Amino acid sequence: MSKIIYTHTDEAPLLATYSLLPLIEAYAKKAGVEFETRDISLAGRILAQFPERLADDQRVGDALAELGELANDPSANIIKLPNISASIPQLKAAIAELRQKGFDVPDLPEDPQTDEEREIAARYDRVKGSAVNPVLRQGNSDRRAPGAVKAYAKAHPHRMGDWSAESKTRVATMGENDFFSNEKSFVSPADDTLRIELVTADGDVRVLKESLPVLAGEVVDATFMSAKALDAFLADAVRQAKAEGVLFSAHLKATMMKVSDPIIFGHVVRAFFAPAFEKHGAELRAAGLSANDGLGAIYAGLDQLENGTEIRAAFDACIADGPALAMVNSDKGITGLHVPSDIIIDASMPAMIRIGGHMWGPDGEEADALAVIPDSSYAGVYQATIDDCRANGKLDPATMGTVPNVGLMAQKAEEYGSHDKTFELAESGTVRVVNGAGDVVLEHAVEQGDIWRACQTKDAPIRDWVKLAVTRARLSDTPAVFWLDEKRAHDANLIAKVNEYLAEHDTTGLDIRIMAPADATRFSLERIRRGEDTISVTGNVLRDYNTDLFPILEVGTSAKMLSIVPLMAGGGLFETGAGGSAPKHVQQLVEEDYLRWDSLGEFFALAASFEHLAQTTDNAKAKVLATTLDAATAAFLENDRSPGRKLGTIDNRGSHFYLGLYWAQELAAQSDDAELAAAFRPLADRLAADEEKIVAELVSVQGKPADIGGYYRPDDAKTTAVMRPSATLNAALDAF
């Protein structure tokens, strides 16, 4: 049997798995392919950290560590669905749910003081934020819109909001004393072990990180954001939004940038509600209510304070006196400052641009906005896009080209690997990075409250990244642009390496360029408006931003992307799209038994996984599964079988049925494998004959609450019952 690993993750993707996986397991088994699952959900990752506190029947294996090892095995074939990149509020909520279910996991220490508390905090540090992706992504990223998706978007263009030449929407960014401007970088000449330390004003040396192993040729960066400069910038941004009559909206990445961005988010909350914090900040701190956790957490905790009503009134006064806030849910009064993980830059900025430069205001209406992006490293990408739309109008999905991405991310490359090297400084002094010989290789003079961080990028992933870019440029006959800014210290070192490694390849006839991100944005938009394609070759964070920005504009969503990670050891990791709107989908399922999650990304990943399996195991039947699944997905799109937007239409479960129907029909009709065709013909006939009955069973459950027994760790039996409500479809698959 050939083997594929299918990950159990979180939220809507997990719910969809309960419906989809039984179908694909049944189909794949006929081709000698079996699936195994690994639980890398937030709840599963938490439980794996504390086996000694759990009963025997509660313990779970460390599936993430296991998959991390497998990713370095040439036989690896892993389908990875979107998972929660946990912010602190999400982590706390998951812990509370697990404890309520009888799992004796410890509370998250707010301010660890004892050795035991520090040990607990360290274990939770391995869980929060982007804990999963750096472990699994032992290769660089090849992400693009599949041909079927692009063709569908051109034939059935999604709605794009009109842009006005008078639009007041713009980006506000620091430009100085931020991570971009303060960055320093060096290339390690040999294998070494670095140390990060803070030398205080009185000469004391505080070790921030004792051991930081690096390899020869590794790029190591260090930078910081000035807290004073950040506060001054934010105070001015609040004033500007008020004066310009636009919505105030903050755009960060508090999930992936799990140390720095929640802190920055806290600065934003304090800046907007400055009078309230000036008067009541000490009381809030004493009660453990932190601005870093968002306005929602503060409101929730006010009941425990004697003067909670007075404090709430102070916050309400700030909202009344300040600029209008961009909203997450205006009907429920949830602002963009309620939860640090509600507005995530790579999803929120493209959505704003797509609907004409608007966000939703407190009145439930669209309005222009001041997009506050404190660090200027990539803010220019969004400003360039806004400028283009203001000057040229909205983009046209029916004619526009595409911008696929080749992303540098292998072996924890760049910023997403910086979490254990990010610090909010408790006192002023000098942060130094010292090599094994005791020489200072990087240093910054810092002040109390500044946010300092370092990150690493190994040489082998850079070399592989360049190779992948050249390969994709040649295969697609498309220009490839490295989005690198010579004015940024890190990028300057990468530019030198890119030029060196490009010389190792035959680039004859290829158009390969290096451009600063804002310039690359303008260049790509000029081409996209002409219907021309341009590969963006980017670092890790820009990979994440670009693979949302352009797909959301091109095809309406980033969840429909084909995302392949050719693992450097020879295996394959196949990712299934974005999960940014997953929480809203879960909420709708629980309230109305309707799941709007679109599994199209899973379909594309599955076909690529079968293709890889066929090539690496010489399984001809797996190749047939791949080609017929691609054909079925094209039929799925042409017949518009994605989940509808309202009750009474098919939801995620109905879309899975139609994929199963079309796939069975394609398998039954194909001529490459008579045995498979014969096996699938009765199923195809049965599903077609029962189509009306199955759809009726799937739709009939809608409109009432659904009990799945938990958000972070749903009950298996309850969720199975909710996600497989068609007895007719279940019987057909069981018989098959």
Side-chain angles (χ1 to χ4, degrees):
M1 272 276 185
S2 302
K3 183 172 68 176
I4 294 173
I5 304 295
Y6 202 92
T7 55
H8 272 260
T9 56
D10 304 281
E11 298 178 325
L14 172 62
L15 297 177
T17 296
Y18 276 91
S19 170
L20 179 61
L21 187 57
L23 186 150
I24 60 179
E25 284 180 318
Y27 283 38
K29 190 174 182 180
K30 299 294 184 182
V33 178
E34 77 174 11
F35 282 79
E36 292 183 3
T37 59
R38 295 294 186 275
D39 182 1
I40 58 171
S41 67
L42 175 57
R45 300 190 325 257
I46 290 172
L47 295 177
Q49 292 298 318
F50 300 99
E52 76 282 0
R53 300 176 65 111
L54 305 177
D56 289 346
D57 62 347
Q58 293 179 323
R59 291 175 184 162
V60 301
D62 192 342
L64 181 57
E66 179 189 347
L67 291 183
E69 293 180 7
L70 180 61
N72 290 300
D73 186 320
S75 68
N77 191 315
I78 304 168
I79 295 178
K80 191 266 177 185
L81 279 73
N83 62 278
I84 288 175
S85 296
S87 64
I88 295 298
Q90 287 174 307
L91 183 57
K92 290 178 178 177
I95 294 168
E97 181 178 312
L98 289 171
R99 289 174 64 86
Q100 189 271 331
K101 288 176 176 288
F103 295 95
D104 182 28
V105 294
D107 284 324
L108 177 67
E110 294 284 356
D111 183 20
Q113 297 296 321
T114 67
D115 288 344
E116 180 184 11
E117 289 177 341
R118 282 188 283 271
E119 170 62 20
I120 291 171
R123 294 193 197 188
Y124 279 128
D125 277 344
R126 295 194 286 268
V127 171
K128 69 185 181 185
S130 57
V132 172
N133 291 339
V135 175
L136 296 187
R137 288 172 170 171
Q138 299 301 310
N140 292 310
S141 170
D142 174 8
R143 201 163 190 213
R144 56 192 184 273
V149 170
K150 191 66 176 172
Y152 180 84
K154 288 189 172 185
H156 311 277
H158 53 272
R159 187 183 76 84
M160 300 283 278
D162 291 321
W163 272 84
S164 166
E166 285 73 45
S167 171
K168 295 186 285 186
T169 291
R170 63 181 180 87
V171 171
T173 192
M174 293 175 69
E176 56 185 20
N177 280 315
D178 60 356
F179 293 131
F180 176 88
S181 60
N182 288 327
E183 189 172 71
K184 298 179 181 179
S185 179
F186 88 106
V187 179
S188 182
D191 294 359
D192 203 346
T193 299
L194 309 179
R195 183 178 71 257
I196 303 174
E197 59 190 27
L198 169 66
V199 182
T200 66
D202 57 11
D204 289 342
V205 178
R206 312 282 171 81
V207 176
L208 300 178
K209 190 171 183 65
E210 180 66 46
S211 177
L212 183 63
V214 295
L215 301 177
E218 188 163 346
V219 180
V220 181
D221 314 313
T223 187
F224 76 98
M225 178 177 283
S226 163
K228 287 182 180 178
L230 173 62
D231 288 339
F233 160 74
L234 291 171
D236 191 51
V238 173
R239 288 192 294 269
Q240 289 176 28
K242 175 78 171 179
E244 296 170 19
V246 296
L247 300 176
F248 179 91
S249 62
H251 301 263
L252 296 162
K253 187 86 171 176
T255 49
M256 296 295 193
M257 305 298 195
K258 65 184 181 184
V259 178
S260 62
D261 281 25
I263 296 170
I264 298 172
F265 183 83
H267 280 266
V268 178
V269 173
R270 287 191 295 273
F272 194 91
F273 297 97
F277 277 97
E278 184 176 345
K279 185 174 182 180
H280 300 289
E283 297 166 83
L284 294 172
R285 286 192 297 273
L289 300 178
S290 171
N292 294 15
D293 293 340
L295 187 60
I298 292 174
Y299 282 170
L302 290 181
D303 290 343
Q304 64 185 290
L305 301 183
E306 288 186 9
N307 62 336
T309 302
E310 178 189 349
I311 297 176
R312 176 63 186 253
F315 278 89
D316 289 345
C318 292
I319 291 177
D321 295 340
L325 272 171
M327 305 298 285
V328 170
N329 188 323
S330 55
D331 292 338
K332 297 183 178 181
I334 300 174
T335 73
L337 299 183
H338 263 64
V339 181
S341 56
D342 267 355
I343 292 187
I344 302 299
I345 184 172
D346 46 337
S348 60
M349 287 300 297
M352 170 200 278
I353 293 165
R354 179 186 161 184
I355 64 172
H358 296 155
M359 294 194 75
W360 296 99
D363 58 359
E365 299 296 327
E366 296 179 20
D368 291 346
L370 181 68
V372 178
I373 305 174
D375 181 44
S376 60
S377 295
Y378 306 119
V381 169
Y382 297 113
Q383 185 61 59
T385 308
I386 289 169
D387 291 342
D388 177 89
C389 291
R390 185 186 291 113
N392 301 305
K394 63 185 178 183
L395 291 151
D396 183 358
T399 60
M400 64 194 294
T402 187
V403 182
N405 179 264
V406 172
L408 173 61
M409 67 180 192
Q411 299 177 359
K412 303 183 181 182
E414 289 194 2
E415 291 93 329
Y416 287 0
S418 69
H419 311 122
D420 60 340
K421 300 176 286 294
T422 301
F423 308 95
E424 185 178 27
L425 299 170
E427 50 192 314
S428 301
T430 301
V431 177
R432 307 190 307 197
V433 179
V434 182
N435 66 15
D439 301 322
V440 176
V441 293
L442 298 169
E443 67 177 344
H444 291 101
V446 295
E447 296 182 324
Q448 182 180 7
D450 289 351
I451 307 166
W452 187 96
R453 73 181 186 198
C455 67
Q456 302 165 257
T457 311
K458 293 177 174 57
D459 184 64
I462 299 171
R463 188 186 295 264
D464 181 76
W465 177 55
V466 173
K467 176 184 176 182
L468 182 58
V470 173
T471 300
R472 290 302 311 158
R474 189 166 295 285
L475 286 175
S476 60
D477 192 24
T478 303
V481 180
F482 285 86
W483 292 42
L484 297 170
D485 189 344
E486 62 183 6
K487 297 177 182 177
R488 181 181 175 188
H490 166 82
D491 286 10
N493 277 326
L494 255 65
I495 288 171
K497 286 180 174 287
V498 167
N499 285 325
E500 177 185 354
Y501 297 145
L502 280 174
E504 297 175 354
H505 302 279
D506 178 11
T507 58
T508 305
L510 300 182
D511 183 354
I512 296 179
R513 311 180 184 205
I514 298 173
M515 304 177 76
D519 294 334
T521 305
R522 286 185 280 269
F523 176 74
S524 300
L525 287 169
E526 288 172 5
R527 291 178 54 82
I528 211 172
R529 285 185 180 276
R530 297 197 298 265
E532 298 171 345
D533 305 339
T534 315
I535 298 171
S536 67
V537 189
T538 70
N540 202 351
V541 175
L542 261 180
R543 172 200 58 80
D544 215 24
Y545 292 2
N546 280 9
T547 56
D548 276 307
L549 173 61
F550 291 107
I552 286 173
L553 298 177
E554 291 175 33
V555 301
T557 176
S558 59
K560 298 179 180 180
M561 297 293 284
L562 176 60
S563 183
I564 299 174
V565 182
L567 297 171
M568 292 172 65
L573 175 68
F574 306 92
E575 299 185 311
T576 66
S581 58
K584 296 178 183 178
H585 291 333
V586 180
Q587 182 181 29
Q588 185 177 15
L589 177 86
V590 171
E591 293 176 353
E592 302 179 331
D593 203 353
Y594 189 89
L595 184 64
R596 220 175 80 199
W597 175 259
D598 192 340
S599 292
L600 196 61
E602 285 97 299
F603 306 163
F604 290 123
L606 185 62
S609 173
F610 284 139
E611 180 78 29
H612 180 78
L613 196 70
Q615 294 171 352
T616 55
T617 65
D618 199 26
N619 183 336
K621 291 183 184 299
K623 173 66 173 176
V624 174
L625 288 179
T627 55
T628 53
L629 179 54
D630 275 337
T633 303
F636 176 95
L637 286 168
E638 188 56 39
N639 287 285
D640 197 17
R641 298 303 187 184
S642 288
R645 301 187 68 85
K646 60 183 179 179
L647 296 183
T649 60
I650 62 165
D651 72 348
N652 177 264
R653 295 162 290 191
S655 71
H656 293 165
F657 159 66
Y658 277 108
L659 179 81
L661 170 62
Y662 298 146
W663 194 7
Q665 290 173 334
E666 292 290 343
L667 281 159
Q670 54 82 28
S671 58
D672 292 333
D673 191 307
E675 182 182 4
L676 279 179
F680 277 90
R681 197 165 293 117
L683 177 64
D685 293 342
R686 181 172 180 176
L687 294 180
D690 289 338
E691 175 185 356
E692 187 174 334
K693 184 178 181 182
I694 291 170
V695 170
E697 290 173 347
L698 293 172
V699 172
S700 68
V701 301
Q702 298 173 12
K704 63 183 189 319
D707 180 11
I708 58 175
Y711 185 93
Y712 293 97
R713 195 166 184 82
D715 179 87
D716 193 64
K718 290 180 177 180
T719 309
T720 297
V722 168
M723 292 306 301
R724 301 191 68 194
S726 170
T728 305
L729 176 57
N730 296 344
L733 290 178
D734 289 343
F736 183 62

